[in-house]
Amino acid sequence: MASRASDDPSTRPVLSHRSAQLLHLAAQGLLRKRTRKARPTDVDACIAAMEVLQIDTIHVVARSPYLVLFSRLGAYRSEWLDDALAEGRIAECWAHEASFVPAAEYRYHRDYRLGRAGHWASKNARRAHDESRADMDALLHRIREQGPLRAADFERESPGTSGWWGWKPEKRWLEAWFALGDLMVLRRDRFQRVYDLAERVTARWSDPPPQASMDEDAVRRHFILRSVHALGIAKARWIADYFRLRPRVTPAELAPLVAEGMLLEVDVVGWDEPAYVHRDHADLLGEAARGALRATRSTLLSPFDPVVWDRARALDLFGFEYTIECYVPAAKRRYGYYVLPILHRGRLVGRLDAKAHRQAGLFQVLGLWLEDGVEPTQELLKGVAAAIHECADWHGTPRIAVDAGRPRGLAGLLTRALAVRSAG
């Protein structure tokens, strides 16, 4: 395959919509079953492939960053992610949202801070500093003199305030310094952030980032390229969301990158606009164009997985309409509090509302819904049962109970498929 797509549409690679889906999943590490057990270094490689691992603290099944890695790695030890942060192989910063990123990429996020000036975290941080400058400066001085601190190291002396989720003042100040870049997360203890001066955190890394800041345009260019790389294939209007770029990315902005050969312009059947593939994925693009990509992985996805966090992209690419209902009042929820998309052999076939009861050893499926037009075939039930079993075993919750399902009779069919899986 040529390293550069031609301006002539007739010479561009042409993909089916299905091949575009599979190319995306291949880039995201979700196309095929793994052929070996996970290793600690696979956590680093997985985050590098995604470019960003979004953080969320909801703990119904597993906290999102751990679940996103499980979807790709299968059973792995959760502490490997904690170790990667503590050892400076990854960093925590504001990216898509609060996220883990490869340590080598941290400098770009650091230097794009101005580009995120309109983000709520930046606005709140500046407001907190304006309102509590003396207290915030005193907090920073304490860390400089005494070493790393957690929010839990401060006793709450009064009820929580209404802002920033009712956090106590010290928590808000720590978060403000983190958003402003003066503090970083050294490690996490029981998922609580341990903050230290940014220069002390990065000094521990094997390859500390340069002190000199990068030009804002260079950082934006870098993020555009890395977004396309992580997505595998992208329409121009999908790109900005990945790293929260402002303004939106346009085909005109991508044209020079195509001319340089950094991006390949391709056509997808049924799409009324070109798509873009990073040149590093040229071989993968060739496989997709030949229809040679095959999906074998079945797994559960986090609501904050890169595949589904952009709701418009998930609908556009997979026809999957998805809303995180934990932020919706209970009476207005259609499915459940923390519903997990089900990926089966390259398709988003349904969603599952689950809760892991670790002390009781029970993985409870509160509800399971297949998408319209998806039939509960034996092959599909086998794949979904395998995905649920794998997740339940990872949690140490070997007993699985299916409370309800749709279409009618699905709960019973899945229960039988789970029994066959267990017996096998």
Side-chain angles (χ1 to χ4, degrees):
M1 175 176 293
S3 63
R4 180 181 304 182
S6 169
D7 291 335
D8 181 359
S10 65
T11 65
R12 295 177 192 156
V14 179
L15 304 184
S16 67
H17 189 98
R18 175 64 173 159
S19 291
Q21 293 175 334
L22 298 181
L23 177 54
H24 169 64
L25 293 172
Q28 282 285 318
L30 284 166
L31 189 65
R32 299 186 180 96
K33 294 179 180 177
R34 294 182 62 83
T35 57
R36 61 169 176 78
K37 292 183 178 180
R39 303 166 183 164
T41 53
D42 291 332
V43 168
D44 305 43
C46 193
I47 296 173
M50 293 184 293
E51 301 285 345
V52 58
L53 176 59
Q54 186 175 340
I55 299 169
D56 189 83
T57 60
I58 297 174
H59 199 194
V60 178
V61 178
R63 289 189 176 95
S64 181
Y66 300 104
L67 185 56
V68 170
L69 292 174
F70 161 79
S71 299
R72 290 153 176 79
L73 302 178
Y76 77 103
R77 297 178 62 176
S78 298
E79 59 264 30
W80 292 347
L81 176 60
D82 306 331
D83 294 343
L85 177 64
E87 294 167 10
R89 305 197 309 272
I90 62 174
E92 189 168 333
C93 64
W94 284 98
H96 177 82
E97 290 292 337
S99 304
F100 297 115
V101 301
E105 290 291 303
Y106 169 73
R107 67 173 300 198
Y108 297 97
H109 297 280
R110 177 198 67 187
D111 294 343
Y112 192 62
R113 195 170 297 117
L114 291 177
R116 296 197 178 97
H119 190 275
W120 68 266
S122 296
K123 290 180 179 178
N124 284 339
R126 292 194 300 272
R127 184 181 304 114
H129 196 238
D130 290 341
E131 295 172 351
S132 309
R133 179 167 301 185
D135 289 323
M136 283 185 61
D137 289 347
L139 176 61
L140 196 64
H141 177 75
R142 177 176 170 181
I143 292 176
R144 182 174 289 110
E145 296 299 317
Q146 299 181 16
L149 287 173
R150 305 168 302 159
D153 294 324
F154 299 90
E155 294 294 333
R156 182 190 286 273
E157 296 180 357
S158 60
T161 60
S162 60
W164 286 36
W165 301 283
W167 288 341
K168 57 191 172 185
E170 292 84 1
K171 171 66 172 173
R172 287 185 283 118
W173 299 337
L174 288 167
E175 290 293 323
W177 280 127
F178 174 67
L180 292 169
D182 295 77
L183 293 182
M184 289 183 65
V185 180
L186 176 65
R187 64 181 184 277
R188 280 181 176 257
D189 290 343
R190 296 181 180 272
F191 212 67
Q192 294 184 59
R193 283 172 167 168
V194 179
Y195 301 85
D196 201 357
L197 300 179
E199 60 265 28
R200 290 206 295 238
V201 173
T202 58
R204 293 160 48 98
W205 297 355
S206 59
D207 188 16
Q211 292 185 356
S213 296
M214 297 181 65
D215 175 75
E216 190 84 6
D217 290 340
V219 175
R220 180 178 171 88
R221 170 190 165 98
H222 177 81
F223 280 146
I224 289 173
L225 290 171
R226 299 322 298 169
S227 298
V228 177
H229 191 277
L231 289 168
I233 185 167
K235 297 180 181 181
R237 55 191 167 89
W238 295 350
I239 296 172
D241 171 79
Y242 209 77
F243 288 115
R244 297 289 201 245
L245 301 180
R246 298 292 184 272
R248 293 181 66 178
V249 177
T250 65
E253 187 175 11
L254 299 177
L257 297 175
V258 174
E260 293 173 35
M262 301 298 295
L263 296 181
L264 310 175
E265 199 171 33
V266 303
D267 290 321
V268 177
V269 176
W271 294 11
D272 59 2
E273 58 190 293
Y276 301 87
V277 175
H278 196 282
R279 68 177 181 182
D280 289 353
H281 289 322
D283 290 342
L284 199 59
L285 174 60
E287 289 186 71
R290 296 193 302 273
L293 296 180
R294 295 289 182 269
T296 59
R297 181 92 173 111
S298 295
T299 192
L300 308 179
L301 301 182
S302 161
F304 302 99
D305 193 290
V307 171
V308 295
W309 77 33
D310 183 338
R311 312 308 173 204
R313 169 164 47 85
L315 183 60
D316 208 5
L317 186 56
F318 291 100
F320 190 73
E321 188 172 356
Y322 183 60
T323 300
I324 301 176
E325 295 187 334
C326 55
Y327 304 120
V328 176
K332 295 184 178 181
R333 289 177 193 146
R334 183 179 177 187
Y335 297 106
Y337 178 77
Y338 200 69
V339 172
L340 310 180
I342 303 170
L343 179 70
H344 173 63
R345 294 183 175 269
R347 302 182 192 277
L348 292 172
V349 298
R351 59 200 82 202
L352 177 147
D353 186 20
K355 182 174 178 59
H357 302 273
R358 293 166 183 80
Q359 291 186 343
L362 173 66
F363 192 87
Q364 182 182 16
V365 179
L366 299 165
L368 174 72
W369 299 265
L370 295 183
E371 293 296 282
D372 291 342
V374 175
E375 295 295 328
T377 64
Q378 289 299 313
E379 186 271 338
L380 181 135
L381 289 167
K382 181 179 178 181
V384 174
I388 293 173
H389 255 292
E390 185 180 30
C391 191
D393 288 346
W394 177 56
H395 279 88
T397 52
R399 292 191 299 117
I400 303 172
V402 183
D403 294 353
R406 192 192 71 190
R408 186 176 181 179
L410 179 61
L413 292 172
L414 180 59
T415 297
R416 287 193 285 276
L418 287 164
V420 170
R421 170 83 182 181
S422 296

